[in-house]
Amino acid sequence: QDDLDDDLDSDDSIPSFVKSPEAVQAQADADASLLWGTYRPQIYFGLRPRLPDSLLTGLAWFGLQDYSGFQKMRHQCSDQDGMKGFTWKYHDGREFGIQEINDNVNNYRLETSFLKVDTSNSNGGSWAARVSGIVMDPAKPAALTTFWYTAIESLGSSLGLETDIEPGSGIERQEPVRVAGTVPKLGDFVLRIEEPDAAHGNANTDGNQFIGRPSANTQAGDFADTASKTHVFGKRIPTESVWKAKDVILNDLMINLQQSAETFGHENMPDPAVTLRLSDQVAPGSTLFAVQKSFSGNFTFDVFYDSATTPKGALLSSAGLTQALRAASEAYDRRFESTLRLAPKGYSPQQIEFARDLTSSITGGIGFYHGSAIVDRAFRHEYDAEVGSGVYDPEVHGQADPQPTEPDQLFTATPCRNIFPRGFYWDEGFHLAHIGAWDNDLSLDILRSWIRLIDEDGWVAREQILGDEARSRVPDGFQTQYPQYGNPPTLILAVSAYVDRLVARIEKRGLDAATLSQQHVVADFDALDDAPMSERMLASAALGQTFLHEIYPKLRRHYRWFRRTQRGEIREWDREARSKTEAYRWRGRTKEHVLASGLDDYPRAPVPHTGELHVDLHSWMGSFAETMAKIARVLGRDDDVDEYERHYADIVANLEDLHWSEAKQMYCDASVDESDQSYHVCHAGYVSLFPLMLELLPADSPHLGHVLDLLADPDHLWSPFGIRSLSPKDEFFGQGDNYWRGPVWVHMSYLCLRALRNKYATTSGPHQAKAQQIYNTLRQNVVNNTFTQYTQTGYVFEQYNPADGHGQRGYPFTGWSSTVALMMAEIFP
Ligand code: 6A9
């Protein structure tokens, strides 16, 4: 009766501009205000364009209080650096940001900011970056040395130092250092590194009156002579090693350090400020330049990237930057309030700042990655064969054959800047909920980038480890991706959120949904609001390539990939399933893990079996079908709508037939025992909640009350800090790696709140009052606990302890944990 989706639709033609690398280029050209950005969230600070093989810039620093700082140079974000928080306090995702880095070990609070000008210029315009240091405790030693590097990644580019320098001599610090270059798509530019003092010839107003002044603990004469100068070096390095700029800098520092050791002897080394300085040597054809400035006390220096095509009058000075940053942060605060509307909800200024930090950190975590991934198209896990012997058989499973793919690109937000700085598929749906609420078009740009990665089969890898830099952060055993394995389809939630925003905008302009589906839609919100909208305009917009039209074929292919490859077996002899096809099983399971599910070590059937059925995937597929129907409706694809609606109805029906346990009064996985008898696999936890979280249960479902009870029961999933992943009554609670076996995950509470707010607490039915009460308390609990932890530690965490609420695992985990800001604002797309 039902298609098994083995063949792709003939009309599934994918416009070539969606998949070609030129398309990405065209896209970068199209949205010039997104060309430059802090797109290396894996380092503390630096700007790059979202172009492969282009220009990289970055900041590194270490403490000069003694020789140990040198070994702990700060560059790549690391949880080993002992920072008391590093947070984008402002970041609008396009033109401006201010980050605070609390380097307690070095007794400095750094403020790094950037601001772009002339951004509608097709080459991305110009920008300024500011680095300020403020001594935290003036009673303690404070001396820091900073490095700003600029490097080209391609042979078609060039770079050169325009400032005169002699090896070993340095440059007077009042003098700006200029690096000029030319890079394809960016054109000609000059980078100026200067201190505000130098620019104005008088004391600047930033409270950094200590610039260059030796503090009491330094050996005055030495410091004044050498560290008060700016030092540089330039070197030709292999283009593919540019991301290791820190190592290149360290190597250059070694030249002078070794000379000093010979001169003074290891026992009598002078102040590190004297010996730890760059060589001032510039090799011919240098591709990387670093500029070093050393400070004791407070300081500020600025880096200006002046594009040759930006009108002179639009270029920034230090004084202009100070003003522009202030104006931008005030504008941000106004925009933040009008977008999230937290003040009327009675939140304190500190709580509002918390939500602002979260919002800035999700946009500040956006990165651009390019390069090869590693994919194994040959291997299958022993449990993935359709006949599950449980024994490894090379005939069935193939030999491992990991291969690098063609280079690809991804524009994506990231879960955690220090330990997971790359794209993760199911995390991204949550990121986009947040980003989309802030800047619709930015979220579409990211969405489009991910959708491009969906391959011919409809598959996209769960973890996007593109290029050597990204790969350097992943242990060997975790690098390979397998084309049989999926991950929860959350990107579709972002598409759905977009459709809702679009419909809301259009309705605001008095156009009904019928007109909309006839005329199709435009992607550009601003065009919608600004232009005098008429039916004629809408019709002409429809003639263009609208966003939904553009992505639909790939989404459909993706949907069909899930249906085809993750299908479960229904055993007809002991199941009363209404549909004989709608059942699902995650591929890629091992005995202990189902990484594909995203819930890694959550307990499943004790013996892996090809007859297993997974209720979380079943629910995701229901949600996927429902959302595809919604998109197809907007696009006026009526046949497809019918198909998705049929799938959806069957999935909802089979949810009850296959996954509801009468005995346990709970939704459960299912499996098959040795004598081929089916049984339920019940572990009270997140998996049991999916039918509710993804709104598959009708508001008057006879099972809804039981699911709500489980969720709200303090003996099971309810904690004062959010919902536990597993009930303390479960035998696996807190066991093993204890990743998804009890700890509280913010984004799962977000999904619950979303379902409650959008459906169960707002639709009349027998459980509405209870749903309302749970909604209010859960929201309060999660917001309060994450806020408390944030004020205590300066961090947002990957998960929270189910017993005492303290933050655990990755930090700063400003990926899906940032949805706390949406909870506060009650934005649940
Ligand atoms: C493995 C170890 C430094 C695990 O947030 C990203 C993902 C989630 O999608 C998933 O649901 N995290 C969750 O269970 C982190 C994934 C890290 C994988 C890297 C290598 C690296 O150690």
Side-chain angles (χ1 to χ4, degrees):
Q1 45 153 117
D2 196 3
D3 62 297
L4 279 165
D5 296 341
D6 276 318
D7 301 311
L8 294 170
D9 291 346
S10 51
D11 66 346
D12 256 2
S13 59
I14 294 174
S16 60
F17 68 87
V18 181
K19 54 184 177 188
S20 67
E22 300 76 53
V24 180
Q25 190 43 58
Q27 185 191 324
D29 286 347
D31 202 340
S33 68
L34 291 173
L35 186 59
W36 274 105
T38 49
Y39 298 144
R40 296 172 77 204
Q42 63 273 19
I43 65 169
Y44 285 112
F45 188 52
L47 282 90
R48 69 161 297 154
R50 53 172 195 176
L51 299 168
D53 307 325
S54 181
L55 184 65
L56 297 192
T57 68
L59 173 72
W61 74 94
F62 60 83
L64 288 172
Q65 59 275 25
D66 54 44
Y67 276 91
S68 74
F70 170 53
Q71 269 114 53
K72 297 182 199 130
M73 186 164 183
R74 280 83 162 84
H75 175 239
Q76 182 175 278
C77 302
S78 164
D79 58 3
Q80 304 302 301
D81 286 344
M83 305 293 178
K84 189 154 196 276
F86 56 99
T87 308
W88 284 103
K89 305 294 292 181
Y90 292 91
H91 196 304
D92 69 3
R94 282 180 194 268
E95 305 202 338
F96 134 90
I98 301 177
Q99 178 179 225
E100 186 178 289
I101 304 172
N102 291 304
D103 188 350
N104 280 37
V105 176
N106 287 315
N107 194 21
Y108 268 96
R109 169 170 304 145
L110 297 188
E111 194 178 88
T112 66
S113 19
F114 75 95
L115 190 129
K116 290 156 61 178
V117 294
D118 186 31
T119 53
S120 54
N121 196 327
S122 67
N123 61 9
S126 300
W127 50 261
R130 169 164 291 180
V131 179
S132 295
I134 292 139
V135 176
M136 288 176 148
D137 181 352
K140 293 194 185 134
L144 210 69
T145 188
T146 63
F147 304 85
W148 183 272
Y149 65 85
T150 305
I152 44 176
E153 279 187 300
S154 127
L155 298 173
S157 307
S158 69
L159 212 54
L161 186 69
E162 288 202 333
T163 311
D164 288 337
I165 183 92
E166 278 185 32
S169 69
I171 302 169
E172 290 308 320
R173 71 181 313 146
Q174 303 307 314
E175 204 183 311
V177 178
R178 292 166 62 92
V179 177
T182 176
V183 167
K185 304 265 173 351
L186 299 176
D188 295 343
F189 59 84
V190 174
L191 275 132
R192 293 179 278 134
I193 294 102
E194 41 187 73
E195 293 174 33
D197 266 341
H200 307 308
N202 54 30
N204 71 76
T205 53
D206 289 319
N208 49 349
Q209 64 276 28
F210 298 110
I211 286 180
R213 202 181 286 171
S215 63
N217 59 302
T218 52
Q219 296 168 23
D222 291 340
F223 203 105
D225 286 340
T226 58
S228 68
K229 291 197 170 168
T230 302
H231 295 279
V232 301
F233 87 103
K235 202 171 160 111
R236 189 180 177 87
I237 58 166
T239 50
E240 68 277 7
S241 319
V242 169
W243 61 272
K244 293 187 234 172
K246 170 185 162 177
D247 298 337
V248 183
I249 292 172
L250 282 173
N251 281 338
D252 188 79
L253 287 171
M254 291 306 290
I255 299 173
N256 195 53
L257 185 62
Q258 263 156 15
Q259 267 169 17
S260 305
E262 281 161 28
T263 313
F264 299 100
H266 285 281
E267 302 302 308
N268 297 309
M269 290 291 277
D271 191 291
V274 179
T275 56
L276 291 170
R277 57 172 180 77
L278 295 176
S279 65
D280 297 315
Q281 292 170 13
V282 175
S286 287
T287 53
L288 180 145
F289 291 90
V291 177
Q292 177 186 23
K293 288 176 175 288
S294 301
F295 305 98
S296 57
N298 298 352
F299 67 86
T300 290
F301 70 90
D302 294 334
V303 180
F304 299 98
Y305 169 91
D306 301 337
S307 164
T309 56
T310 297
K312 285 276 173 295
L315 294 176
L316 287 161
S317 64
S318 285
L321 178 60
T322 303
Q323 267 184 3
L325 284 171
R326 194 166 299 135
S329 60
E330 285 164 10
Y332 187 108
D333 279 326
R334 286 191 297 273
R335 175 174 167 198
F336 186 75
E337 184 48 39
S338 74
T339 309
L340 276 83
R341 299 191 184 284
L342 295 181
K345 291 193 192 287
Y347 286 111
S348 68
Q350 291 76 15
Q351 287 170 317
I352 293 176
E353 184 182 344
F354 170 53
R356 198 194 64 201
D357 291 356
L358 287 170
T359 304
S360 301
S361 296
I362 191 85
T363 44
I366 293 172
F368 174 76
Y369 299 93
H370 65 98
S372 295
I374 307 234
V375 172
D376 189 339
R377 297 194 168 267
F379 181 76
R380 280 160 193 268
H381 266 291
E382 55 197 279
Y383 306 111
D384 292 331
E386 291 317 309
V387 187
S389 64
V391 177
Y392 178 73
D393 174 359
E395 287 288 313
V396 180
H397 306 111
Q399 302 284 1
D401 184 26
Q403 295 289 340
T405 63
E406 288 294 307
D408 222 320
Q409 309 181 357
L410 181 63
F411 186 52
T412 183
T414 51
C416 183
R417 288 174 58 195
N418 50 22
I419 58 172
F420 311 131
R422 55 188 172 273
F424 285 85
Y425 175 94
W426 89 295
D427 298 59
E428 203 58 16
F430 294 91
H431 301 162
L432 290 175
H434 197 172
I435 295 170
W438 174 250
D439 182 335
N440 173 71
D441 291 1
L442 174 57
S443 77
L444 296 193
D445 230 271
I446 294 172
L447 187 57
R448 177 188 269 129
S449 183
W450 271 95
I451 285 171
R452 263 191 68 256
L453 292 182
I454 296 171
D455 74 6
E456 294 284 286
D457 281 344
W459 173 71
V460 56
R462 170 178 83 233
E463 197 172 333
Q464 291 293 329
I465 314 169
L466 300 181
D468 291 342
E469 181 174 12
R471 199 145 35 245
S472 73
R473 312 298 294 269
V474 188
D476 281 351
F478 294 87
Q479 294 179 358
T480 307
Q481 304 292 307
Y482 300 88
Q484 302 86 9
Y485 305 162
N487 205 209
T490 60
L491 285 187
I492 198 74
L493 301 180
V495 181
S496 163
Y498 164 62
V499 172
D500 290 347
R501 286 193 294 269
L502 184 69
V503 170
R505 288 274 185 124
I506 290 179
E507 277 171 357
K508 211 171 87 188
R509 299 197 59 97
L511 291 156
D512 61 20
T515 317
L516 173 65
S517 72
Q518 271 166 30
Q519 309 285 4
H520 304 311
V521 291
V522 284
D524 183 350
F525 269 19
D526 294 335
L528 265 184
D529 275 356
D530 299 344
M533 186 62 65
S534 68
E535 300 258 332
R536 246 190 34 239
M537 247 211 74
L538 253 191
S540 68
L543 293 176
Q545 298 145 338
T546 69
F547 182 71
L548 287 179
H549 278 290
E550 175 193 321
I551 64 172
Y552 182 77
K554 276 227 173 179
L555 281 184
R556 180 167 168 81
R557 194 168 283 200
H558 191 40
Y559 175 70
R560 293 166 75 105
W561 178 88
F562 270 94
R563 292 178 57 75
R564 194 171 66 243
T565 65
Q566 311 292 302
R567 193 173 289 278
E569 299 166 11
I570 296 186
R571 317 234 150 181
E572 303 193 16
W573 53 92
D574 63 357
R575 285 204 183 105
E576 295 285 316
R578 263 163 275 186
S579 147
K580 300 304 175 201
T581 53
E582 297 308 319
Y584 293 94
R585 169 167 64 94
W586 292 113
R587 301 306 195 269
R589 114 153 250 196
T590 62
K591 200 154 175 8
E592 295 292 329
H593 290 97
V594 187
L595 297 181
S597 74
L599 315 175
D600 302 13
D601 64 341
Y602 190 95
R604 304 282 180 164
V607 182
H609 196 289
T610 56
E612 265 178 276
L613 300 176
H614 297 129
V615 67
D616 52 334
L617 179 56
H618 192 96
S619 307
W620 282 117
M621 291 312 295
S623 162
F624 205 158
E626 192 185 23
T627 312
M628 287 304 286
K630 175 169 163 180
I631 297 163
R633 228 172 275 131
V634 171
L635 293 177
R637 294 201 172 217
D638 297 341
D639 291 351
D640 290 1
V641 175
D642 290 348
E643 182 189 336
Y644 301 132
E645 284 180 342
R646 183 160 39 88
H647 294 164
Y648 181 72
D650 287 347
I651 289 171
V652 169
N654 271 8
L655 173 67
E656 303 303 327
D657 296 337
L658 301 174
H659 290 291
W660 176 255
S661 159
E662 248 337 285
K664 293 278 165 57
Q665 295 291 300
M666 207 192 283
Y667 289 99
C668 304
D669 283 349
S671 193
V672 187
D673 65 19
E674 290 125 44
S675 41
D676 238 0
Q677 293 299 306
S678 77
Y679 64 97
H680 280 126
V681 181
C682 300
H683 296 282
Y686 287 162
V687 162
S688 335
L689 300 180
F690 270 92
L692 170 123
M693 288 193 287
L694 296 174
E695 300 170 43
L696 265 62
L697 305 179
D700 61 357
S701 157
H703 300 150
L704 178 60
H706 297 286
V707 180
L708 289 173
D709 285 346
L710 179 66
L711 195 167
D713 184 347
D715 287 338
H716 285 289
L717 305 188
W718 187 265
S719 89
F721 319 107
I723 302 168
R724 299 184 184 115
S725 41
L726 198 62
S727 163
K729 301 252 187 263
D730 191 271
E731 56 175 314
F732 292 100
F733 178 82
Q735 298 300 302
D737 194 27
N738 191 20
Y739 201 19
W740 291 85
R741 296 183 172 187
V744 171
W745 294 75
V746 165
H747 66 302
M748 295 310 255
S749 292
Y750 178 79
L751 276 187
C752 288
L753 289 169
R754 175 176 174 268
L756 293 168
R757 169 76 188 212
N758 291 344
K759 188 164 182 182
Y760 304 109
T762 48
T763 312
S764 63
H767 306 292
Q768 186 183 8
K770 182 177 205 129
Q772 272 167 359
Q773 191 264 322
I774 295 176
Y775 172 78
N776 290 331
T777 323
L778 176 59
R779 179 167 161 256
Q780 225 168 42
N781 285 351
V782 177
V783 171
N784 288 348
N785 186 58
T786 51
F787 174 66
T788 305
Q789 292 294 311
Y790 190 66
T791 41
Q792 282 170 13
T793 65
Y795 285 111
V796 180
F797 291 84
E798 184 174 10
Q799 53 172 231
Y800 293 85
N801 186 283
D804 63 15
H806 80 258
Q808 302 186 147
R809 301 257 178 172
Y811 59 89
F813 198 98
T814 43
W816 57 33
S817 301
S818 78
T819 51
V820 173
L822 297 182
M823 293 179 196
M824 293 171 76
E826 303 189 274
I827 296 175
F828 296 107

